[in-house]
Amino acid sequence: DAKTTQPNSMESNEEEPVHLPCNHSTISGTDYIHWYRQLPSQGPEYVIHGLTSNVNNRMASLAIAEDRKSSTLILHRATLRDAAVYYCILRDRGSGNTGKLIFGQGTTLQVKP
Amino acid sequence: EAGVAQSPRYKIIEKRQSVAFWCNPISGHATLYWYQQILGQGPKLLIQFQNNGVVDDSQLPKDRFSAERLKGVDSTLKIQPAKLEDSAVYLCASSLEGLAGVEQFFGPGTRLTVL
């Protein structure tokens, strides 16, 4: 399975945008890029996913590099509730794959008031 | 819509004892996952079910861990006997299908402490 590299931690101020980077230089053509986050004492929750094009939803935006070797999760206005561990995960959509999530260490985002 | 339910939320046992966790997935979700999350690490998949059949149990320590999903709905994960290193949060997740583009929904987890 292709791996991702994320910074261990990042800080942000409340109500400012946050850009969380992820490198995935060995990504294959059949890999989706998924982002999940885990708030303290909770299970992970889905944030967003994409394949080639940038994606937007009510929670965040996902910017994918043209060569797909990196991506950035964008939180447009961070709130205290966004303090969490953010995981960037590649999921292979090729036939025969189960689509399982393989979590790395993630990025711990701290949001300061 | 009700989320993924898990019980108990917390469990403390002595090593060599047995323990069981229960999961009720979101209604209609065919795929169910059990993950183990050790403190400071990301979750690790233990087993994946599609309906009541096992799709992937390659990371399940089968000498002590077992899981079943009778009737393709609820699932139980059992540890017998428990070891100190089994102390972790056990997360259950479900999805409509076990495909790469499909969102997984996680329960709150069961925190197991083995003394």
Side-chain angles (χ1 to χ4, degrees), chain B residues 65-100:
Chain B
F65 286 64
S66 64
E68 61 182 10
R69 191 184 183 197
L70 300 176
K71 301 181 182 177
V73 181
D74 293 6
S75 178
T76 55
L77 176 69
K78 297 179 181 177
I79 308 175
Q80 181 180 11
K83 293 185 175 182
L84 296 177
E85 58 260 37
D86 298 331
S87 293
V89 175
Y90 291 85
L91 296 159
C92 179
S94 71
S95 63
L96 281 170
E97 299 175 328
L99 299 176

Side-chain angles (χ1 to χ4, degrees), chain A residues 14-83:
Chain A
E14 196 175 12
E15 298 190 5
E16 290 186 356
V18 182
H19 290 234
L20 297 165
C22 181
N23 287 317
H24 29 78
S25 58
T26 60
I27 191 170
S28 76
T30 56
D31 284 333
Y32 280 108
I33 301 162
H34 280 251
W35 285 81
Y36 280 72
R37 72 179 185 181
Q38 188 169 23
L39 279 65
S41 301
Q42 295 188 25
E45 65 175 346
Y46 169 83
V47 178
I48 200 167
H49 80 279
L51 187 62
T52 57
S53 304
N54 295 344
V55 184
N56 299 295
N57 66 20
R58 63 174 180 81
M59 289 182 69
S61 296
L62 176 60
I64 300 173
E66 197 168 331
D67 63 3
R68 300 208 326 126
K69 294 182 184 295
S70 65
S71 61
T72 302
L73 179 71
I74 303 166
L75 307 179
H76 296 286
R77 286 180 71 240
T79 68
L80 296 178
R81 192 191 174 278
D82 291 321

